[in-house]
Amino acid sequence: MSPEFSADPVRNRARHELLTKLAASTANPAAAEMARELLAGNVTPRGILSTNLYADVLAASTPGFAEWYGSLSEGEKDAQAEAGRNALTQLAAPEAKPAPPRRSDAVDDEEDFSEVDWLDG
């Protein structure tokens, strides 16, 4: 069972998705490791913030974000907040069920083995 990062299931799923993407990233191995540890439940977000374990990872990205956010006008900040709310709303929408798999028709000169029971002797 994976850890919960929010009591809100929409936010929890969004955080899991973001951490999963970060864990798969090769651009920043330390950040990927941190995400994998969070997903595995080996460390908590509070634990990361209250220790220096991943301080370098956090310190590297925080100034860039703060500078970017600080450069936004109030209208742009409102637009970013709205985009975040819209993303959460999309995540909350029931997921569409994928279409059932379809058998492709075999080419006329190829034998169709799809109905063969390979366990029969």
Side-chain angles (χ1 to χ4, degrees):
M1 176 176 233
S2 60
E4 286 196 18
F5 299 106
S6 172
D8 177 353
V10 174
R11 288 187 176 158
N12 192 54
R13 186 172 60 206
R15 290 172 182 163
H16 272 273
E17 288 177 9
L18 288 171
L19 286 170
T20 301
K21 287 179 184 178
L22 182 58
S25 173
T26 58
N28 187 335
E33 175 190 318
M34 180 184 71
R36 285 190 298 273
E37 292 296 308
L38 281 163
L39 288 168
N42 296 333
V43 67
T44 64
R46 184 181 309 269
I48 286 175
L49 294 174
S50 64
T51 66
N52 289 328
L53 187 60
Y54 292 104
D56 293 342
V57 173
L58 299 175
S61 59
T62 304
F65 173 77
E67 182 179 328
W68 167 79
Y69 190 77
S71 71
L72 297 178
S73 69
E74 288 305 312
E76 291 169 324
K77 288 177 183 176
D78 291 342
Q80 289 298 319
E82 182 64 25
R85 284 189 290 275
N86 289 340
L88 286 173
T89 300
Q90 283 183 327
L91 287 171
E95 295 181 29
K97 291 184 179 180
R102 295 184 328 157
R103 257 184 67 195
S104 63
D105 294 331
V107 179
D108 291 339
D109 60 340
E110 292 182 15
E111 191 171 352
D112 180 8
F113 291 100
S114 62
E115 299 297 322
V116 174
D117 184 352
W118 295 98
L119 298 177
D120 279 348

